[in-house]
């Protein structure tokens, strides 16, 4: 497979997953505001802080209110991680590899973009944001379903799934970080009803509430963090995402489990081993935020090494959080 093709399909799926997870970030806040209507604006600052793009936001906006943050994270074309920017980038990648992906995938992605740029979408996002961002998530789910059901599960599909899993692991960690930033000025709210409401919102933002309740029943912060980080079966947990990415990376490289042939496998293997031999008590003792921050940095390193190993390119840093963005190949 050409490195250009592998690069495009990898980033196409990362961008779609990123767009979905930005919608999930916003869903955290929208759910919280239903239960905590007072001082609404103060709940939008943590959302931008967790993206690492606070400086970029403040260049164009002065206030962290709902309308400004929704526009920045959803429709701002100058912000490379906004939903519109991600869907546009995914569409351009898909356009360049139409002979590799299925026609259903291309048609859905093209329709996704064209609907998003309509004026009606902007009105819906501002007037009925809960419905709008649920639609974004459903369109992402449909794209993933089309990827799995209409495309051969060969090398191209493996690159697509690796990109999706690395992005998902990173964003699950950031969803947990939303909670951390929300409680920074409110340590006295720990173990109160408001605290429980916030943890429920975090679970719902990862579509994890029902699965968590089946396993743990009661909302206990330690168990919520344990579920979203270490659960082996839940498809949005960090452990599950990284373990799947490692399997698909071995398939591409043609190496059996337990051995490595390149730096990408080595870095991902080390990260997987650390998760295998770490538990939630160690994470809490060392600090949840510190653990998540280190995890995000290592995931960025893995993504960069995949680029240099398989695509022969170096990623550009697009935010203060060192979130990666695609670098196009020179023709």
């Amino acid at each position: 497979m050409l490195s250009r093709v592998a690069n495009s399909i990898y980033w196409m799926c990362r961008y779609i997953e990123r767009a979905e997870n930005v919608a999930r970030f916003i869903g955290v806040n929208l759910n919280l505001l239903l239960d905590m209507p007072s001082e609404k604006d103060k709940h939008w600052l943590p959302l931008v802080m967790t993206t690492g793009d606070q400086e970029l936001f403040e260049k164009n906006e002065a206030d962290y209110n709902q309308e400004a943050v929704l526009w920045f994270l959803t429709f701002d074309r100058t912000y490379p991680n906004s939903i519109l920017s991600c869907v546009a980038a995914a569409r351009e990648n898909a356009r360049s590899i139409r002979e590799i992906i299925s026609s259903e995938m291309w048609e859905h992605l093209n329709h996704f973009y064209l609907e998003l740029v309509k004026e009606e979408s902007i009105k819906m996002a501002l007037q009925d944001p809960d419905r709008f961002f649920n639609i974004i998530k459903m369109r992402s789910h449909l794209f993933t379903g089309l990827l799995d059901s209409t495309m051969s599960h060969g090398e191209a599909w493996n690159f697509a799934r690796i990109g999706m899993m690395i992005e998902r692991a990173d964003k699950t960690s950031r969803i947990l970080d939303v909670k951390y930033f929300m409680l920074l000025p409110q340590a006295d709210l720990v173990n109160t009803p408001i605290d429980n409401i916030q943890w429920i919102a975090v679970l719902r933002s990862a579509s994890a509430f029902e699965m968590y309740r089946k396993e743990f029943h009661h909302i206990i912060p330690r168990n919520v963090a344990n579920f979203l980080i270490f659960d082996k079966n839940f498809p949005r947990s960090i452990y599950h995402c990284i373990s799947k990415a490692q399997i698909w990376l071995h398939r591409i490289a043609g190496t059996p489990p337990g051995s490595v042939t390149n730096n990408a496998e080595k870095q991902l293997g080390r990260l997987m081993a650390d998760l295998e031999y770490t538990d939630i008590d160690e994470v809490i003792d060392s600090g949840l935020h510190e653990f998540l921050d280190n995890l995000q940095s290592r995931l960025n390193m893995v993504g960069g090494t995949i680029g240099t190993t398989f695509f022969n390119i170096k990623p550009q840093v697009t935010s203060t959080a060192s979130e990666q963005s695609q670098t196009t190949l020179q023709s």
Side-chain angles (χ1 to χ4, degrees):
M1 175 182 291
L2 294 175
S3 62
R4 174 189 63 82
V5 173
N7 177 62
S8 292
I9 196 164
Y10 171 87
W11 276 103
M12 174 186 69
C13 289
R14 281 203 70 159
Y15 281 129
I16 289 297
E17 186 70 24
R18 186 173 298 180
E20 178 190 344
N21 281 284
V22 171
R24 290 178 179 277
F25 283 170
I26 297 171
V28 173
N29 264 25
L30 293 174
N31 285 327
L32 284 172
L33 293 178
L34 294 175
D35 296 297
M36 295 183 292
S38 62
E39 302 181 49
K40 288 186 177 183
D41 287 351
K42 74 176 184 179
H43 294 290
W44 292 101
L45 171 59
L47 204 59
V48 179
M49 290 178 68
T50 55
T51 67
D53 296 320
Q54 189 176 0
E55 182 179 349
L56 187 58
F57 176 86
E58 291 174 355
K59 284 182 180 178
N60 302 315
E61 303 288 347
D63 299 320
Y64 285 91
N65 56 60
Q66 177 171 331
E67 184 174 346
V69 174
L70 285 184
W71 177 264
F72 177 71
L73 294 178
T74 308
F75 296 107
D76 192 340
R77 287 181 179 270
T78 66
Y79 175 45
N81 294 321
S82 71
I83 291 174
L84 180 56
S85 295
C86 288
V87 174
R91 178 174 177 256
E92 287 307 306
N93 278 291
R95 187 198 301 277
S96 69
I97 53 170
R98 288 187 62 180
E99 74 281 4
I100 302 298
I101 64 176
S102 67
S103 58
E104 291 88 349
M105 290 171 64
W106 163 249
E107 289 168 4
H108 171 68
L109 194 49
N110 189 47
H111 178 72
F112 189 177
Y113 171 78
L114 294 176
E115 287 293 314
L116 194 58
V117 297
K118 288 184 177 179
E119 187 176 345
E120 290 82 357
S121 293
I122 298 175
K123 291 180 179 178
M124 186 191 300
L126 297 176
Q127 297 172 4
D128 191 0
D130 186 63
R131 179 187 172 206
F132 174 80
F133 292 108
N134 277 329
I135 289 174
I136 296 296
K137 289 187 286 186
M138 290 302 106
R139 286 177 176 170
S140 175
H141 292 166
L142 178 55
F143 179 82
T144 302
L146 289 170
L147 170 71
D148 286 343
S149 61
T150 66
M151 189 172 173
S152 297
H153 290 198
E155 193 173 40
W157 183 86
N158 287 325
F159 274 115
R161 295 298 292 180
I162 288 172
M164 194 170 289
M165 290 299 102
I166 290 176
E167 188 69 30
R168 184 176 294 180
D170 177 81
K171 292 304 181 289
T172 296
S173 72
R174 292 178 187 273
I175 286 173
L176 273 171
D177 244 3
V178 171
K179 171 62 175 167
Y180 169 82
F181 281 113
M182 283 177 176
L183 276 187
L184 275 178
Q186 301 171 285
D188 58 316
L189 296 181
V190 174
N191 295 325
T192 65
I194 291 178
D195 189 33
N196 285 339
I197 288 170
Q198 291 178 339
W199 282 111
I200 290 172
V202 169
L203 285 168
R204 288 191 184 280
S205 72
S207 297
F209 181 66
E210 289 83 2
M211 296 301 104
Y212 171 86
R213 289 296 295 269
K214 288 178 185 295
E215 187 165 342
F216 291 106
H217 307 296
H218 301 294
I219 302 298
I220 299 173
R222 176 189 178 280
N223 289 344
V224 174
N226 184 44
F227 186 77
L228 290 178
I229 297 172
F230 293 110
D231 192 88
K232 296 183 178 181
N233 299 315
F234 182 63
R236 303 196 74 86
S237 79
I238 294 169
Y239 181 99
H240 182 90
C241 292
I242 294 175
S243 65
K244 291 296 184 182
Q246 186 181 36
I247 291 171
W248 294 319
L249 188 60
H250 281 314
R251 289 180 183 174
I252 291 171
T255 56
S259 59
V260 298
T261 58
N262 57 66
N263 286 333
E265 288 181 299
K266 185 183 296 184
Q267 288 185 5
L268 194 59
R270 284 174 177 167
L271 181 54
M272 190 67 226
D274 286 345
L275 285 176
E276 286 274 10
Y277 294 101
T278 304
D279 58 33
I280 192 60
D281 293 325
E282 292 180 50
V283 170
I284 293 174
D285 288 343
S286 63
L288 178 60
H289 171 67
E290 289 74 17
F291 171 83
L292 295 174
D293 194 53
N294 177 260
L295 177 70
Q296 290 158 17
S297 297
R298 294 179 69 179
L299 285 170
N300 285 336
M301 289 177 61
V302 169
T305 305
I306 287 174
T308 56
T309 301
F310 296 103
F311 314 142
N312 196 29
I313 57 175
K314 294 182 179 180
Q316 293 177 335
V317 176
T318 61
S319 75
T320 56
S322 299
E323 232 180 323
Q324 298 159 357
S325 184
Q326 183 179 13
T327 302
T328 55
L329 291 171
Q330 299 295 325
S331 58

